[in-house]
């Protein structure tokens, strides 16, 4: 371990203003950590692909002074602009062919109903389509392959069976296509609708005009050619394509809803009613009636409705739904509790301290939601690509069909190859790759007390090589604790502590609080002190049991003529350990030394080990002396210590480490570390209560557990890997499938199934994050 005493950093850029940096995220988009009048959230219905989301963005962007981001996975739009007119924004979305509704965090009924209606409609159409497609495929393929089994009018029977599939069942694709064409645009639905219409239309035309009676071989199935006169096999393609696409859309919609539920589950923890005590009478009222300062009664098994302080009662509170900790926390009068947690036993009376949007639960839910609105740079690129892919695929399908025809291939086969290209190239998986993984990752983190603010945090987490930890309140408890009590005369140790605590009863100093806490732990009763007198910055004195007791620093003792020879060894050892020295004297004679100091958190050592296991170097920042920093650093097991660092110099240390070529994550207590958090490549704020709204941090940890830091980095890295896997699969799938389809090795039925399954696979892979286990949970 290396220890460095730091007074200043000679970095020419060390004093640059970070206010603009902290007001923006690292992707350059405005950070809106609170909803203001300039931000409008809309629920959007009717979107079927990423191209739809981009179209809604463009429609909203046509409003004066307005910009918007639309998330296809969450089906939500965030509209930025001074004085955004909600009616005008909704009208603009509706003119683009979609539905819109003002998002209400407290009531998501509209969005849920729209999703449920869509799922119900898709399920109904899928069932009908499948029931008709299975026998149609059997009959069509058998009769097409075995001419001797054909009967008069068999083609007409197949057409009648296929008609409801390609019209009513496939209507969602046709409706979206017509809507897009009215607005001069195309989408993934256009490709599906064209494929279905072209396949069905060609089969009908073949039957009417006898295209299939030319004597040419029929449709290529991937293992051979159908006999002449089997053009009606395209009915099978149209029906099968519709069924596969409906199945893919149905399971995709369900999976996206499930992913959305992971994100929204945090908000659903909030209680809807509260038992308020007024004039010694309890009444159950809607949660909206609760105000800060009200007294609230919580019965066993009930959800705590607000952040508050326990006034009466003892209970075990289950916090697992917010922190992931499986063991209930015991609370008693004076303890603080968080809304959304559950009292497992015991009756409590609370005083509400934060309610509604100011509660920790509400802020966690809001930050998790806002993480979805901050579109990743890679997602913006993907959205642009999908905007060009659809028209490009249509042109490519026409060209492929033309090339195969001109090279002498029978048109029936060339047409089938063109249909395969049309279907296989739908980039649905690309549009879902990033937002679904981000949605599930953010939701999972929120349930574990880890708030990931956006994709920039995920990107930064993968490059971090050094974690810098603030000392007080982050690595240590921030509370003074008695480490040793040593008697230097005939007076026993417990008597030294007893008389010192009696004097400190009249003091409010942090050292006094530590002495009192230790005395209460060891001693039942304390004698009453008289004639108390404080010596600011040095100690205090009083009369205890008739004797004059002086408690304070060695300098105070020397001022009062107290000899310290007997305590010299203890004082020197305490100085070497960088602890605060409290000398106790009775009637002018030193009788003992009490060593007081800050202590590292119980889980700090395990957290440092976990960071090392991830290949990360750890650095401690402290304003203490070099000796104190070295002691804390040794106990925690960090790799490096910067001592003597003033709060204003923390950002300078961060920039110096960055200048040395390392990617730095800063872990602070979320109160006085905002500049350092903003300067770091990744800022992690260990915060509680209202500190959760820190704007400078990329990741916020809202539980009192330092192990959450390596867990947050692990979750962010896992989410980042999932996004990359999704994108790799989506790009790789299209890159490999298009050439296979273009050279005629992919049957349209297989293409339709593969395209649908690719989207379901991407969403399912993202949902695996929901089951991610951290620290053996």
């Amino acid at each position: 371990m290396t220890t460095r005493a730091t007074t200043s950093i000679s970095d020419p850029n060390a004093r640059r203003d970070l206010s603009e940096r902290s007001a923006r995220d690292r992707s350059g988009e405005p950070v809106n950590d609170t909803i203001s009048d300039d931000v409008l959230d809309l629920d959007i219905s009717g979107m079927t692909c990423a191209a739809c989301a981009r179209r809604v963005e463009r429609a909203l962007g046509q409003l004066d002074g307005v910009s918007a981001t639309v998330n296809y996975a969450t089906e939500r739009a965030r509209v930025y602009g001074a004085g955004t007119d909600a009616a005008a924004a909704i009208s603009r979305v509706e003119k683009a062919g979609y539905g819109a509704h003002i998002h209400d965090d407290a009531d998501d009924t509209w969005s849920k109903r729209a999703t449920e209606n869509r799922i119900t409609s898709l399920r109904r159409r899928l069932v009908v389509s499948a029931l008709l497609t299975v026998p149609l495929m059997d009959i069509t393929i058998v009769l097409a392959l075995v001419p001797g089994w054909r009967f008069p009018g068999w083609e007409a029977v197949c057409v009648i069976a296929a008609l409801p599939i390609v019209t009513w069942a496939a209507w969602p694709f046709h409706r979206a296509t017509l809507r897009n064409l009215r607005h001069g645009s195309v989408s993934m639905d256009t490709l599906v609708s064209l494929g279905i219409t072209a396949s069905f239309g060609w089969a009908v035309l073949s039957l009417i005009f006898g295209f299939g009676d030319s004597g040419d071989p029929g449709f290529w199935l991937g293992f051979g050619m159908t006999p002449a006169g089997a053009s009606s096999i395209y009915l099978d393609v149209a029906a099968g394509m519709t069924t596969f696409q409906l199945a893919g859309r149905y399971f995709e919609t369900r999976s996206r809803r499930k992913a959305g539920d992971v994100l929204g589950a945090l908000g659903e923890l909030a209680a809807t009613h509260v038992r308020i005590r007024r004039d010694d009478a309890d009444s159950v009222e809607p949660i909206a009636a609760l105000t800060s300062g009200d007294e609230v009664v919580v019965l066993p098994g009930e959800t705590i409705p607000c952040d508050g302080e326990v006034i009466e009662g003892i209970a075990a509170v289950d916090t697992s739904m917010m922190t992931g900790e499986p063991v209930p926390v015991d609370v008693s009068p004076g303890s603080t509790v968080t809304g959304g947690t559950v009292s497992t036993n015991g009756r409590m009376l609370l005083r509400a301290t934060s309610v509604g949007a100011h509660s920790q639960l509400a802020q966690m839910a809001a930050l998790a939601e806002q993480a979805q609105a901050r579109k990743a740079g890679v997602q913006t690129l993907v959205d642009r690509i999908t905007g060009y892919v659809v028209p490009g695929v249509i042109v490519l399908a026409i060209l492929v069909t033309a090339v195969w025809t001109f090279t002498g291939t029978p048109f029936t086969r060339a047409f089938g190859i063109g249909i395969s290209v049309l279907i296989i190239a739908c980039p649905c998986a690309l549009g879902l790759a990033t937002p679904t993984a981000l949605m599930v990752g953010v939701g999972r983190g929120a349930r574990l007390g880890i708030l990931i603010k956006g994709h920039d945090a995920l990107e930064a987490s993968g490059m971090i090589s050094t974690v810098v930890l603030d000392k007080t309140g982050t690595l240590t408890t921030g509370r003074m604790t008695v480490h040793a009590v040593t008697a230097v005369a005939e007076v026993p140790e417990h008597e030294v502590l007893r008389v010192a605590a009696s004097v400190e009863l009249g003091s409010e100093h942090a050292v006094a609080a530590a002495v009192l806490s230790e005395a209460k732990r060891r001693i039942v009763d304390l004698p009453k002190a008289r004639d108390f007198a404080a010596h600011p910055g040095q100690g205090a004195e009083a009369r205890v049991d008739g004797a004059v007791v002086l408690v304070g620093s060695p300098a105070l003792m020397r001022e009062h003529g107290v000899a310290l020879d007997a305590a010299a060894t203890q004082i020197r050892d305490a100085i070497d350990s960088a602890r605060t020295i409290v000398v106790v004297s009775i009637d002018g004679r030193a009788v003992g030394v009490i060593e007081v100091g800050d202590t590292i958190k119980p889980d700090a050592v395990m957290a440092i080990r976990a960071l090392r296991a991830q290949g990360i170097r750890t650095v401690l920042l402290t304003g203490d002396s070099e000796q104190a920093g070295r002691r804390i650093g040794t106990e925690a097991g960090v790799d490096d210590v910067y001592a003597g660092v003033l709060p204003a110099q923390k950002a300078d240390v961060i920039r110096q480490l960055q200048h040395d070529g390392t990617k730095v994550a800063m872990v602070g207590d979320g109160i006085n570390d905002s500049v350092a958090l903003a300067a770091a490549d990744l800022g992690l704020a260990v915060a509680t209560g209202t500190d959760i709204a820190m704007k400078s941090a990329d990741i916020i940890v809202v539980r009192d557990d330092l192990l959450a830091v390596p867990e947050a980095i692990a979750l962010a890295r896992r989410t980042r890997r999932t996004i990359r896997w999704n994108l790799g699969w989506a790009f790789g799938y299209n890159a490999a499938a298009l050439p296979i389809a273009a050279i005629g090795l992919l049957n349209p039925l297989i293409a339709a199934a593969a395209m649908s399954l690719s989207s379901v696979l991407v969403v399912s892979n993202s949902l695996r994050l929901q089951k991610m286990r951290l620290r053996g949970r």
Side-chain angles (χ1 to χ4, degrees):
M1 179 184 69
T2 305
T3 308
R4 310 177 189 186
T6 303
T7 55
S8 64
I9 305 296
S10 58
D11 184 346
N13 299 318
R15 302 301 174 189
R16 66 183 178 90
D17 184 13
L18 289 174
S19 60
E20 182 177 353
R21 171 72 177 280
S22 63
R24 289 181 172 270
D25 69 22
R26 287 165 179 79
S27 65
E29 293 182 2
V31 177
N32 290 275
D33 288 323
T34 57
I35 303 299
S36 68
D37 293 337
D38 292 340
V39 180
L40 174 67
D41 284 338
L42 297 176
D43 292 317
I44 307 296
S45 66
M47 293 191 299
T48 58
C49 63
C52 296
R54 187 160 179 79
R55 189 171 306 114
V56 175
E57 277 187 6
R58 288 199 300 266
L60 289 170
Q62 292 172 0
L63 295 170
D64 292 338
V66 167
S67 63
T69 60
V70 179
N71 193 307
Y72 168 49
T74 59
E75 298 181 307
R76 189 161 304 157
R78 170 155 288 191
V79 187
Y80 305 94
T84 301
D85 186 344
I90 292 174
S91 175
R92 183 70 64 175
V93 173
E94 291 176 344
K95 287 181 179 179
Y98 303 90
H101 186 273
I102 297 176
H103 176 70
D104 184 356
D105 289 324
D107 182 10
D108 197 24
T109 304
W110 186 89
S111 177
K112 289 181 178 178
R113 186 172 61 247
T115 302
E116 289 302 324
N117 288 343
R118 184 164 65 255
I119 291 175
T120 301
S121 175
L122 287 171
R123 181 171 57 243
R124 186 182 302 118
R125 296 175 193 274
L126 173 61
V127 170
V128 172
S129 179
L131 290 176
L132 292 174
T133 298
V134 172
L136 176 64
M137 291 178 69
D138 292 338
I139 295 172
T140 306
I141 292 177
V142 169
L143 295 180
L145 293 176
V146 187
W149 289 7
R150 298 173 185 173
F151 55 87
W154 71 279
E155 299 98 332
V157 173
C158 293
V159 170
I160 294 172
L163 194 59
I165 301 174
V166 300
T167 54
W168 178 80
W171 178 241
F173 307 113
H174 301 321
R175 178 179 55 201
T177 299
L178 293 174
R179 178 186 60 204
N180 294 332
L181 292 177
R182 284 198 303 268
H183 294 86
S185 60
V186 292
S187 69
M188 280 74 151
D189 290 302
T190 306
L191 301 181
V192 176
S193 179
L194 280 176
I196 294 171
T197 303
S199 299
F200 180 77
W202 177 256
V204 172
L205 290 174
S206 296
L207 295 174
I208 294 174
F209 297 104
F211 295 159
D213 297 328
S214 61
D216 293 331
F219 188 73
W220 186 74
L221 289 174
F223 53 83
M225 306 298 295
T226 61
S231 294
S232 58
I233 193 74
Y234 282 101
L235 294 172
D236 194 34
V237 172
M241 187 185 308
T242 301
T243 301
F244 287 136
Q245 293 300 322
L246 283 172
R249 186 65 56 84
Y250 170 70
F251 288 113
E252 174 196 318
T253 304
R254 281 192 58 186
S255 298
R256 282 197 290 120
R257 184 63 198 179
K258 186 176 181 181
D261 289 342
V262 174
L263 183 63
L266 199 67
E268 294 176 0
L269 296 176
T272 56
H273 289 79
V274 58
R275 187 175 287 100
I276 303 177
R277 172 168 294 182
R278 294 192 178 97
D279 300 326
D280 296 327
D282 300 343
S283 62
V284 178
E285 301 181 29
I287 193 67
L290 181 64
T291 59
S292 181
D294 285 345
E295 292 186 355
V296 177
V297 177
V298 180
L299 302 181
E302 289 187 343
T303 298
I304 296 174
C306 61
D307 297 351
E309 180 181 354
V310 179
I311 302 175
E312 297 176 6
I314 299 175
V317 177
D318 181 6
T319 64
S320 61
M321 64 290 297
M322 291 182 63
T323 66
E325 294 297 336
V327 181
V329 178
D330 294 327
V331 298
S332 57
S335 301
T336 58
V337 292
T338 304
T341 56
V342 177
S343 174
T344 60
N345 59 17
R347 183 177 185 275
M348 293 186 294
L349 179 64
L350 316 175
R351 178 175 290 108
T353 55
S354 297
V355 301
H358 300 287
S359 68
Q360 179 171 315
L361 176 63
Q363 292 186 50
M364 288 174 65
L367 282 175
E369 287 282 352
Q370 290 165 24
Q372 304 305 306
R374 297 167 66 184
K375 187 176 294 185
V378 66
Q379 183 60 30
T380 302
L381 176 62
V382 167
D383 289 349
R384 289 176 181 173
I385 291 175
T386 55
Y388 295 104
V389 163
V390 176
V393 167
I394 295 173
V395 173
L396 179 62
I398 295 172
L399 290 176
V400 167
T401 303
V403 169
W404 276 95
T405 302
F406 292 150
T407 57
T409 303
F411 183 73
T412 52
R413 186 184 177 195
F415 184 75
I417 295 173
I419 294 293
S420 297
V421 171
L422 195 69
I423 298 304
I424 199 66
C426 288
C428 295
L430 278 177
L432 292 169
T434 298
T436 53
L438 183 60
M439 182 179 0
V440 179
V442 169
R444 176 61 176 158
R447 295 296 298 271
L448 297 174
I450 300 168
L451 298 183
I452 302 172
K453 277 192 171 183
H455 191 275
D456 49 316
L458 304 179
E459 285 299 320
S461 69
M463 299 181 290
I464 294 303
S465 57
T466 300
V467 169
V468 177
L469 300 107
D470 177 49
K471 183 183 79 73
T472 305
T474 301
L475 193 64
T476 66
T477 61
R479 298 183 299 272
M480 302 295 280
T481 305
V482 173
H483 288 264
V485 179
T486 307
V488 296
E490 294 80 7
V491 178
E493 286 184 7
H494 76 273
E495 181 65 14
V496 172
L497 185 60
R498 188 179 78 95
V499 297
S502 298
V503 174
E504 298 288 24
L505 276 171
S507 176
E508 297 180 352
H509 194 273
V511 172
V515 173
L516 283 170
S517 177
E518 183 68 12
K520 289 178 181 178
R521 189 179 69 85
R522 296 191 189 186
I523 303 169
V524 177
D525 297 317
L526 295 178
K528 186 175 181 179
R530 302 178 183 276
D531 304 329
F532 175 83
H535 298 278
Q538 291 187 308
E541 68 176 306
R543 188 174 293 275
V544 180
D545 295 336
V548 176
V549 179
L550 187 64
V551 180
S553 65
L556 178 65
M557 297 297 157
R558 285 190 286 268
E559 285 183 10
H560 286 72
V562 178
L564 298 177
D565 295 342
T569 301
Q570 287 74 21
I571 292 174
R572 185 169 55 254
D573 291 343
I575 292 174
D576 291 340
S577 299
R579 294 196 174 106
T580 300
I581 305 164
V582 178
V583 181
V584 182
S585 71
I586 300 178
D587 289 335
R589 182 171 64 116
V591 297
V593 174
I594 301 174
E595 296 180 31
V596 180
D598 198 357
T599 57
I600 66 171
K601 292 181 177 179
D603 47 29
V605 175
M606 293 179 62
I608 298 300
R609 289 176 182 171
L611 289 170
R612 279 184 169 179
Q614 294 175 350
I616 296 175
R617 170 189 173 217
T618 54
V619 174
L620 172 64
L621 282 187
T622 176
D624 292 344
S625 65
E626 183 177 345
Q627 288 177 319
R630 183 169 61 248
R631 178 180 63 82
I632 294 293
T634 301
E635 290 182 20
V638 298
D639 299 307
D640 205 349
V641 175
Y642 282 80
V645 181
L646 299 176
Q649 297 175 330
K650 292 179 181 179
D652 298 341
V653 175
I654 298 295
R655 285 190 286 269
Q656 181 183 20
L657 292 170
Q658 291 171 329
H659 181 71
D660 294 338
T662 60
K663 296 295 183 180
V664 181
M666 171 67 190
V667 183
D669 59 13
I671 298 174
N672 60 356
D673 300 316
S674 59
V675 177
L677 289 168
D681 298 286
L682 179 69
L684 296 96
V686 181
T688 57
T690 56
D691 295 333
I692 188 177
M694 279 285 299
K695 293 183 179 180
S696 301
D698 301 296
I699 298 176
I700 300 177
V701 177
V702 293
R703 70 178 201 251
D704 189 17
D705 181 0
L706 201 60
L707 273 165
V709 172
E711 289 182 1
I713 294 176
L715 177 62
R717 287 180 170 182
R718 176 72 175 273
T719 305
R720 177 173 172 266
R721 286 198 301 271
T722 299
I723 291 173
R724 291 193 168 189
W725 190 97
N726 285 351
L727 288 172
W729 163 257
F731 277 110
Y733 159 80
N734 281 282
L738 265 176
I740 294 174
I743 62 177
L745 296 179
L746 197 61
N747 181 277
L749 283 176
I750 300 174
M755 196 278 282
S756 299
L757 289 173
S758 67
S759 297
V760 175
L761 180 61
V762 163
V763 177
S764 299
N765 186 57
S766 298
L767 284 171
R768 293 172 58 211
L769 287 168
Q770 185 182 359
K771 299 179 180 179
M772 180 180 177
R773 293 289 180 264
L774 299 173
R775 200 178 44 163
R777 293 182 190 280

